Amino acid sequence: MRQVSGYFLILFMIFSFVVALPAAVQGYRTTEKFTPDMAVNGGWASQYEKEFADVITLRKPGLTLWGMAELALFRGGRPGVLIGRDGWLFSDEEFTYAQNREALITRHKAMIGQVIDRLHHDGVAVAVALLPAKSRIAESKLGRFRYPSYNRALYGDILAMLRTRDVFAPDLNAALRNDPESFLRTDTHWSPQGARIAADAVATAIRQKGKIGLETQGFILEEQAPESLKGDLLRYVPAGPLLERFSFGRVEVPQHAAITSAADDGGESALFGDVSLPVTLVGTSYSANGSWNFADYLKVALQSDLFNAADEGRGPFATMRDYLDSAAYKTNPPQLVIWEIPERYMALPEAE
C-alpha cells in the first residue's frame, strides 16, 4: 500500500505540473508589470497568486481529485480535521498541544477569575457553561485516534476551579455524555439537542443554588422548519461525490424559536425597546449561531428574556472583554451573565 501511494503521489505531481505550467505563464503575462517596490511590499506576489488562481481551469477539480484520493486511500482529510468512524469528523484543535500549554491554561484561569471578580463587584451574578470537547463526549467515534491523555483532567480541573468561586457551574460533561447525539457528526459544534441539554443544566444549577430574583417572562418553544446543514468540518474534506458514500452528507437539524406564551403579554419589555434585559449570554459560535438555538433554549429554561452578546468569529475571552468594555454593560449591567466557554480554548494560544 505504501508503494502504491508513492507512485500515486509522483503521478499526481507530474499531472499537476503539466496542468499548472500554462496557468503560471498566463498568470505572469496578465499580472501588473514587475517593479522592485512591488516585490518588497509583497504586492506583486499577491497579485500574481490571484491571477494564477483565476487562470488555472483545473484547480478546483484537481483539489477534489486529491481530496477523493486522501479519503479513499488513507481515510484522511486536509490539516484541520481528523476522520473518525461512522461518519464522524473532529477538529484537530482538540488535539493540539501548545508548547506553552500550562502557561496558557494558567493565564486563562486567571482571566476567568478576573472577569468573575469584576462582575461580582458590579453586582452581577455569573453562570459559566463550560463546554466539553466534542472528542471527549464522542470518544467512541474517534476510530483509530485516541483522546489525548494530556487533556483527560482538563475539564475537571477547570470545573473544580469554577466551583471555588461563587458562580453557577453545571457539569456539562456529565450532562452531555447521556446523549450520543449532543454534537453534530460533521460539524465542530453541538447539535440543537446538545444545546437544549446544556441550557436545561444551566437553569437547573441556578435554581438549585438559589434564586437571584430574575424578572420572569413566560416563554414556550415553537417548532420551526428543520435546517439542512453542511457541517463546517467538511471544508477540510474536499472529496466531492465520495462524501455521501462515506456518510458525510448534509444533515437535517431541528429548529425551535422561543416565543412568549399566550398567558404572558410580555409587559413593558414587549412595548419598549430600551428596557434592559435581565440576562446576557456571552460566548462563541456555540451561542451566537442561531442554528443551535442555545439562546432560545435558555430563554425557555430560565423563563427569562436575554441579550445575546456572543460572537461567532471569536473566542470566549475576547468576546467577554468586548462586552465588559461596551456601553451597554457599563450603563446598565444585567442581573445575570451566562458565559459559554468551550474547553478547548483553555489551551489554545488563539483564544485571546
Side-chain angles (χ1 to χ4, degrees):
M1 173 62 77
R2 186 173 298 177
Q3 189 175 17
V4 172
S5 63
Y7 287 142
F8 178 85
L9 180 60
I10 292 171
L11 289 173
F12 185 82
M13 290 174 67
I14 295 172
F15 173 77
S16 299
F17 176 77
V18 172
V19 169
L21 185 59
V25 174
Q26 182 65 20
Y28 180 81
R29 287 175 177 170
T30 55
T31 301
E32 186 178 334
K33 186 177 178 181
F34 177 88
T35 66
D37 286 344
M38 291 182 69
V40 171
N41 64 27
W44 190 88
S46 177
Q47 193 178 52
Y48 175 79
E49 181 181 356
K50 180 181 182 302
E51 294 291 345
F52 177 83
D54 288 343
V55 170
I56 188 166
T57 57
L58 292 180
R59 180 173 180 268
K60 187 171 181 180
L63 290 174
T64 301
L65 179 63
W66 182 246
M68 291 171 64
E70 282 186 309
L71 181 60
L73 296 177
F74 315 116
R75 292 295 181 94
R78 310 272 82 183
V81 71
L82 299 180
I83 298 179
R85 57 188 291 259
D86 300 333
W88 280 74
L89 302 178
F90 299 88
S91 169
D92 65 3
E93 281 188 343
E94 297 184 354
F95 297 78
T96 298
Y97 190 94
Q99 260 189 328
N100 56 339
R101 172 187 169 82
E102 295 306 317
L104 284 169
I105 294 172
T106 299
R107 180 181 178 185
H108 293 143
K109 280 183 178 179
M111 290 174 66
I112 290 171
Q114 291 164 8
V115 168
I116 292 171
D117 289 343
R118 163 86 181 273
L119 290 168
H120 282 167
H121 177 268
D122 295 340
V124 179
V126 183
V128 177
L130 183 63
L131 177 60
K134 175 182 176 179
S135 52
R136 181 188 293 277
I137 296 298
E139 187 174 358
S140 64
K141 301 297 184 181
L142 286 175
R144 58 188 166 138
F145 301 102
R146 294 291 176 267
Y147 188 73
S149 58
Y150 49 82
N151 277 344
R152 288 281 175 197
L154 180 60
Y155 188 90
D157 179 44
I158 305 304
L159 187 65
M161 181 272 293
L162 290 171
R163 288 180 170 176
T164 65
R165 319 291 298 234
D166 185 20
V167 300
F168 307 108
D171 185 350
L172 296 186
N173 181 41
L176 295 173
R177 274 187 180 277
N178 293 329
D179 194 315
E181 300 300 322
S182 294
F183 282 82
L184 295 168
R185 288 185 299 105
T186 59
D187 202 280
T188 313
H189 301 90
W190 51 17
S191 64
Q193 196 166 319
R196 188 171 187 174
I197 292 170
D200 289 342
V202 169
T204 298
I206 292 171
R207 284 194 296 268
Q208 287 178 342
K209 197 166 182 178
K211 294 182 179 179
I212 58 174
L214 285 180
E215 177 189 342
T216 60
Q217 184 175 344
F219 281 100
I220 59 173
L221 281 179
E222 181 177 75
E223 189 171 351
Q224 308 287 307
E227 180 180 349
S228 178
L229 182 74
K230 182 180 179 180
D232 63 357
L233 291 173
L234 285 175
R235 68 178 180 268
Y236 302 111
V237 192
L242 277 187
L243 291 177
E244 289 285 348
R245 185 171 180 182
F246 282 81
S247 302
F248 293 142
R250 301 181 76 92
V251 293
E252 296 286 315
V253 293
Q255 295 295 298
H256 295 94
I259 61 172
T260 53
S261 64
D264 192 329
D265 62 7
E268 289 186 344
S269 62
L271 300 175
F272 304 103
D274 59 349
V275 175
S276 63
L277 299 178
V279 181
T280 295
L281 172 62
V282 181
T284 67
S285 52
Y286 290 88
S287 297
N289 192 322
S291 295
W292 327 130
N293 309 141
F294 185 48
D296 290 278
Y297 293 139
L298 278 172
K299 289 179 183 181
V300 174
L302 293 169
Q303 287 295 285
S304 181
D305 206 352
L306 62 80
F307 169 62
N308 192 348
D311 191 332
E312 193 163 1
R314 309 179 71 193
F317 307 111
T319 309
M320 178 58 82
R321 279 200 302 269
D322 286 351
Y323 173 63
L324 293 179
D325 288 341
S326 70
Y329 175 76
K330 290 179 178 178
T331 59
N332 211 339
Q335 293 173 263
L336 169 69
V337 164
I338 299 173
W339 192 8
E340 167 257 307
I341 305 175
E343 170 193 2
R344 75 175 189 272
Y345 279 95
M346 296 298 299
L348 285 182
E350 307 85 47
E352 278 38 270

